[in-house]
Amino acid sequence: MGILDEQFRLVDGKTVRKPLGLRTQLSLDAMSLTFADVQWMGPLTAIYCHHDLGFSLSETGIIMGAQYAAAVVMNPLSGIIMDNSKAKKFLMALAFCLTALTYLLLSTVKSYAGVFSIILVQSAISGMYIPGINSLSLGFVGLDGFAKRCTRNEIFRHVGVMIAGITPALVVPVHGWWIFFMVQTSVAVFAALVVLMGVDSSKIDHEAARGQEPAVKDGLKAAMSYRDVFTKLGVMMLLAAVISFHTGNAAMLPMIGDKIDELVESNSTEFGLPYLGEVDGTVGVGVLEAVTEALSIPVALLVGTFADRPGWGRRRVAIIGFTILPIRGVILASIESVPALLATSVLDAIGAATCGVVAILMAQDLSVDTGRFSTLQGAVGASIGLGSALSQVIAGFIADAAGFSTTFLALGGIALVALLIMILMKETKPELLSRDRLGTPMTESLLVYKNESFDDYDARNESST
């Protein structure tokens, strides 16, 4: 019995995919939540290396830079591995086990070379999770069910990010880093067991997981070349929009923390919260992160719902979310109040959750019939990392030279580029709409656009003229 027999059924003369079983649903939920919690040390690396291990700021900076570089490089490489492998379950379980091992080693290794190596490996492994989970999701639910499953993944990811922020705050001050590392090790081992026990490899349609038609026979069909995939007009515009968005977005949060510290030090404003006391930059960033992630959960649900709703589509929802970030930049540049700065977390949640869901859905649309779904997901992840790294560098230079207000305006201006790109893009799932702005049927024109390269685009325009 093949995948088609096991995963599909006839309903009113049409072949439809069977609903995903509860065990598989819960397994994907658990993977999405736990990977967001344990995938890497992230910003905690700077605190642990400098304040607890006594590394210099320059040494810590080298580790931080290598950490982000490894994640950026490994995202597309992990996608390539997922697209060309049928051992997706094994690879995900292995990733969680290796992550557990890195936390276990961090609890004992204190040398600079050792910590550097462990953090580098941990960051490289982190690039496996998003392409892997999305590939498994698509292999289980197919194209028609991916938007709903992707939205659910994002909701649990935001919960995981909240846990990742709360866990060190609760554990490290009271029990120290060793207990924290043991907690993270245990969570990663639990996630590996969930993959091994909860994921049924026989129900994964590996062709669908690559963005191809459902598999009928064993083996994988030939995929589109990488050059053809990454010279598609839609793919290039999507990656450019993601890089621009995160270049404008990533540095805003730490800059808000720095601005709060400046306001507190100048005694121009004071603000306290119950149980937390006076809000300084560190507390403010923690509050912003927690509130943003909590608000991102309902926002992600709405975005996923409307992005797959007829009459809306991915692009229209993306334009709404991408409009928020330039507005946020202008607002941040004009306010001098700690409560007002904290209130901007609402805008952060709308923008970040929209980009998170829509980018994945658009990449999935653009990967149809290419066999490069996970590769493109990895490229989106790399674009996020690249944009985030550029954001920190650009914001740092501008803030030193011209202050916070100019920095927020500049970041908002960069985010405006992402919005303009999204406005120029066409809907990546045209069947959700009936007609474009000129009143012409969208299905044919946009399906051509979705899979064409710049050469195809130029040739089509020449023939039409």
Side-chain angles (χ1 to χ4, degrees), residues 238-283:
L238 174 61
L239 296 180
V242 171
I243 292 172
S244 301
F245 180 91
H246 285 279
T247 302
N249 181 66
M252 283 192 180
L253 180 59
M255 282 292 153
I256 292 174
D258 291 337
K259 185 169 184 176
I260 290 175
D261 276 335
E262 184 180 83
L263 292 173
V264 171
E265 290 173 4
S266 65
N267 295 318
S268 60
T269 181
E270 290 185 6
F271 179 70
L273 290 172
Y275 305 107
L276 297 177
E278 182 180 348
V279 175
D280 59 8
T282 302
V283 174

Side-chain angles (χ1 to χ4, degrees), residues 334-357:
S334 61
I335 56 180
E336 301 291 331
S337 164
V338 174
L341 289 171
L342 296 179
T344 60
S345 60
V346 176
L347 300 177
D348 189 12
I350 297 173
T354 300
C355 183
V357 174

Side-chain angles (χ1 to χ4, degrees), residues 83 152 291 295 336 340 342-343:
D83 277 335
R152 186 161 168 167
V291 173
L295 292 174
E336 301 291 331
L342 296 179

Side-chain angles (χ1 to χ4, degrees), residues 136-396:
L136 284 174
S137 298
L138 186 58
F140 279 125
V141 303
L143 297 177
D144 292 337
F146 184 71
K148 184 179 292 185
R149 182 62 246 182
C150 167
T151 301
R152 186 161 168 167
N153 290 346
E154 281 295 293
I155 289 172
F156 279 93
R157 184 185 70 81
H158 285 296
V159 175
V161 173
M162 286 180 61
I163 295 173
I166 294 171
T167 301
L170 294 178
V171 175
V172 174
V174 179
H175 303 289
W177 285 98
W178 190 88
I179 295 296
F180 171 74
F181 291 141
M182 291 302 102
V183 170
Q184 298 300 88
T185 300
S186 301
V187 173
V189 170
F190 167 77
L193 292 174
V194 167
V195 176
L196 292 173
M197 299 173 64
V199 175
D200 186 351
S201 297
S202 67
K203 295 183 178 179
I204 301 173
D205 186 335
H206 293 283
E207 288 293 355
R210 304 164 71 229
Q212 297 276 43
E213 292 298 322
V216 180
K217 299 179 181 179
D218 292 336
L220 297 176
K221 294 187 291 185
M224 184 180 290
S225 71
Y226 294 112
R227 180 186 181 278
D228 288 343
V229 171
F230 288 102
T231 55
K232 283 185 186 181
L233 185 58
V235 170
M236 298 182 74
M237 293 181 76
L238 174 61
L239 296 180
V242 171
I243 292 172
S244 301
F245 180 91
H246 285 279
T247 302
N249 181 66
M252 283 192 180
L253 180 59
M255 282 292 153
I256 292 174
D258 291 337
K259 185 169 184 176
I260 290 175
D261 276 335
E262 184 180 83
L263 292 173
V264 171
E265 290 173 4
S266 65
N267 295 318
S268 60
T269 181
E270 290 185 6
F271 179 70
L273 290 172
Y275 305 107
L276 297 177
E278 182 180 348
V279 175
D280 59 8
T282 302
V283 174
V285 168
V287 170
L288 281 167
E289 286 182 328
V291 173
T292 298
E293 293 303 325
L295 292 174
S296 293
I297 295 171
V299 172
L301 180 60
L302 288 172
V303 169
T305 300
F306 281 94
D308 208 42
R309 176 173 292 182
W312 279 82
R314 284 67 153 126
R315 175 179 167 275
R316 290 181 179 179
V317 173
I319 289 174
I320 294 173
F322 279 43
T323 302
I324 296 296
L325 192 52
I327 295 174
R328 183 183 175 214
V330 173
I331 292 174
L332 288 172
S334 61
I335 56 180
E336 301 291 331
S337 164
V338 174
L341 289 171
L342 296 179
T344 60
S345 60
V346 176
L347 300 177
D348 189 12
I350 297 173
T354 300
C355 183
V357 174
V358 170
I360 293 174
L361 294 179
M362 283 185 156
Q364 181 261 312
D365 295 336
L366 293 165
S367 69
V368 171
D369 292 333
T370 66
R372 303 295 186 192
F373 168 77
S374 295
T375 303
L376 193 49
Q377 294 290 325
V380 170
S383 300
I384 293 172
L386 178 59
S388 299
L390 288 173
S391 183
Q392 308 295 339
V393 175
I394 293 171

